[in-house]
């Protein structure tokens, strides 16, 4: 049972730790400790006053109490993620019955590492493609994978607006302002040189909560590059995004021009990237300049409304496209 005490000297009290000041409590007031907040604060019930918080250091007799006897209301510290030495990566499609634990066992990984790397909130659904980081010194029984994502999950009524960001700055400023107004987040597949040339805009993208994907360094046809050249292109862009914004492009990659074959897909996956394609093309960068209405129709009328969930749309942000002009109407639709 909680023991009553008597203040031996006046003390200041608060409504909450580091919160609003109540004022001074006079010497001789009876109080009963009930809970604590870490080792610095104790919540007490003062006679005729009620529950308030005091600093342990301000009440000498509290320093003599066994504070571990009081319930601690301080949230436990967020554990620091374990850092693993990743040797390489592989891809896998979740099958019925698979769990993070079974996938980790097959891929020479850890469940928490797979979850964190793929930005999962919980266990992955069947059919979902994943990147499996293999930890140094562990063996993987997963076969080489040549995965590419053409369609998102239809479990929720969402579409994915993705933008390949290659040139230009002013359209990006306008786009970010519109997305801010509508409270919408999208994915930007960026070229490394664009990030290097427009660091303030890259930081604005990150600050607004948008997602980065890797679109290479030179926008070369990856089918004509060696595996080593592909790795270099991806590493260069990832390095500049990380340096400029503190964000990462992993695990998302879009092949330049949409050109790929199985070797390109496997080379990208080996670097920790899940290749992302699309199933709706706005055609905003194809041929002559398109009107905003054309771009809106291309995206919103590609499928009947009940088949739109999970759509991945492709657009561009550069001087040749009108996607930014189409964006408000697109979001309204």
């Amino acid at each position: 049972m909680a023991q009553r005490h008597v203040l031996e000297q006046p003390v200041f009290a608060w409504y909450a730790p580091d919160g609003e000041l109540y004022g001074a409590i006079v010497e001789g007031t009876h109080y009963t400790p009930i809970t604590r907040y870490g080792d610095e604060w104790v919540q007490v019930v003062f006679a005729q006053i009620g529950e308030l918080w005091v600093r342990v250091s301000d009440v000498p007799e509290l320093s003599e109490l066994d504070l571990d006897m009081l319930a601690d209301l301080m949230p436990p510290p967020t554990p620091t993620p374990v850092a693993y030495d990743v040797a390489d990566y592989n891809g896998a499609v979740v099958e019925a019955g698979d769990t993070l634990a079974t996938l980790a066992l097959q891929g020479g990984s850890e469940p928490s590492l797979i979850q964190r790397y793929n930005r999962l909130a919980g266990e992955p659904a069947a059919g979902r493609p994943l990147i499996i980081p293999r930890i140094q010194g562990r063996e993987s029984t997963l076969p080489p994978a040549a995965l590419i994502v053409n369609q998102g999950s239809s479990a929720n009524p969402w579409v994915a607006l993705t933008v390949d960001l290659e040139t230009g700055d002013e359209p990006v400023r306008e786009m970010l302002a519109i997305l801010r107004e509508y409270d919408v987040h999208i994915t930007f597949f960026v070229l490394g040189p664009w990030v290097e040339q427009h660091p303030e805009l890259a930081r604005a993208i990150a600050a607004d909560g948008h997602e980065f994907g890797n679109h290479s360094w030179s926008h070369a046809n990856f089918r004509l590059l060696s595996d080593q050249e592909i790795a270099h292109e991806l590493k260069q862009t990832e390095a500049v995004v990380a340096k400029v914004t503190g964000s990462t492009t992993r695990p998302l990659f879009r092949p330049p021009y949409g050109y790929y074959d199985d070797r390109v897909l496997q080379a990208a996956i080996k670097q920790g990237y899940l290749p992302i394609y699309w199933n709706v093309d706005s055609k905003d960068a194809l041929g002559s300049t398109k009107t905003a209405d054309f771009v809106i129709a291309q995206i919103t009328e590609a499928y009947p409304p009940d088949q739109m969930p999970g759509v991945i749309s492709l657009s561009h942000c550069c001087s040749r496209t009108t996607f930014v002009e189409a964006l408000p109407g697109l979001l309204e639709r």
Side-chain angles (χ1 to χ4, degrees):
M1 184 175 178
Q3 184 177 358
R4 294 186 72 193
H5 300 265
V6 179
L7 279 181
E8 298 178 359
Q9 60 188 42
V11 65
F12 284 104
W14 284 259
Y15 288 101
D18 292 330
E20 183 181 352
L21 178 66
Y22 168 82
I25 309 296
V26 299
E27 178 184 349
T29 302
H30 288 266
Y31 69 93
T32 303
I34 54 173
T35 56
R36 65 188 175 99
Y37 193 84
D39 296 326
E40 184 180 357
W41 294 88
V42 169
Q43 185 183 35
V44 301
V45 178
F46 287 107
Q48 285 81 51
I49 297 174
E51 297 177 4
L52 292 169
W53 291 85
V54 296
R55 283 194 175 92
V56 173
S57 58
D58 292 343
V59 186
E61 54 266 36
L62 286 180
S63 302
E64 301 171 4
L65 292 179
D66 182 5
L67 295 181
D68 289 336
M69 298 294 290
L70 302 177
D72 190 354
L73 303 185
M74 178 179 283
T78 302
T80 302
V82 177
Y84 295 100
D85 186 7
V86 176
D88 53 29
Y89 304 85
N90 206 342
V93 177
V94 180
E95 298 182 0
D98 281 344
T99 65
L100 290 171
T102 60
L103 290 166
L105 187 62
Q106 295 173 61
S109 190
E110 284 289 330
S112 61
L113 180 58
I114 298 172
Q115 183 178 40
R116 191 164 69 242
Y117 195 87
N118 291 276
R119 308 175 191 178
L120 298 172
E123 291 289 345
R128 174 158 181 159
L130 298 175
I131 294 295
I132 311 296
R134 183 178 69 84
I135 297 171
Q136 190 74 44
R138 299 191 187 181
E139 295 297 323
S140 172
T141 60
L142 294 172
L147 307 177
I148 188 159
V149 177
N150 301 289
Q151 164 84 23
S153 170
S154 60
N156 294 297
W158 302 338
V159 298
L161 299 182
T162 72
V163 172
D164 289 0
L165 185 44
E166 301 158 4
T167 62
D169 56 354
E170 196 53 42
V172 181
R173 298 180 204 279
E174 297 175 35
M175 184 180 301
L176 290 178
I178 294 166
L179 293 170
R180 220 173 283 131
E181 178 183 351
Y182 282 86
D183 192 24
V184 168
H185 296 98
I186 70 173
T187 305
F188 289 93
F189 287 91
V190 295
L191 291 184
W194 183 91
V195 175
E196 200 170 52
Q197 293 159 16
H198 306 286
E200 78 290 349
L201 282 177
R203 285 190 285 268
I205 290 172
D208 282 0
H210 300 294
E211 191 172 49
F212 286 106
N214 198 320
H215 198 38
S216 84
W217 184 265
S218 66
H219 206 269
N221 179 352
F222 270 31
R223 294 179 301 189
L224 304 180
L225 301 183
S226 67
D227 289 5
Q228 292 74 21
E229 289 170 327
I230 289 173
H232 184 64
E233 289 261 339
L234 296 174
K235 288 176 180 178
Q236 272 190 298
T237 293
E238 168 65 11
V240 74
V241 169
K243 178 181 178 181
V244 169
T245 71
S247 300
T248 181
T249 60
R250 285 193 168 105
L252 307 178
F253 158 67
R254 173 165 287 157
Y257 306 106
Y259 293 165
Y260 67 90
D261 53 26
D262 281 359
R263 183 190 64 84
V264 167
L265 299 182
Q266 289 179 359
I269 289 169
K270 205 71 174 173
Q271 296 302 314
Y273 286 96
L274 182 63
I276 308 293
Y277 208 67
W278 58 85
N279 56 350
V280 171
D281 185 351
S282 70
K283 298 185 179 178
D284 58 344
L286 185 64
S288 59
T289 301
K290 307 300 192 297
T291 66
D293 287 343
F294 175 91
V295 173
I296 293 170
Q298 280 293 118
I299 295 176
T300 63
E301 298 174 12
Y303 294 98
D306 63 333
Q307 295 179 28
M308 286 295 289
V311 155
I312 302 173
S313 73
L314 167 69
S315 298
H316 299 78
C317 191
C318 61
S319 57
R320 291 196 304 115
T321 78
T322 53
F323 179 70
V324 67
E325 287 87 351
L327 189 54
L330 176 62
L331 296 176
E332 291 287 351
R333 288 280 290 273

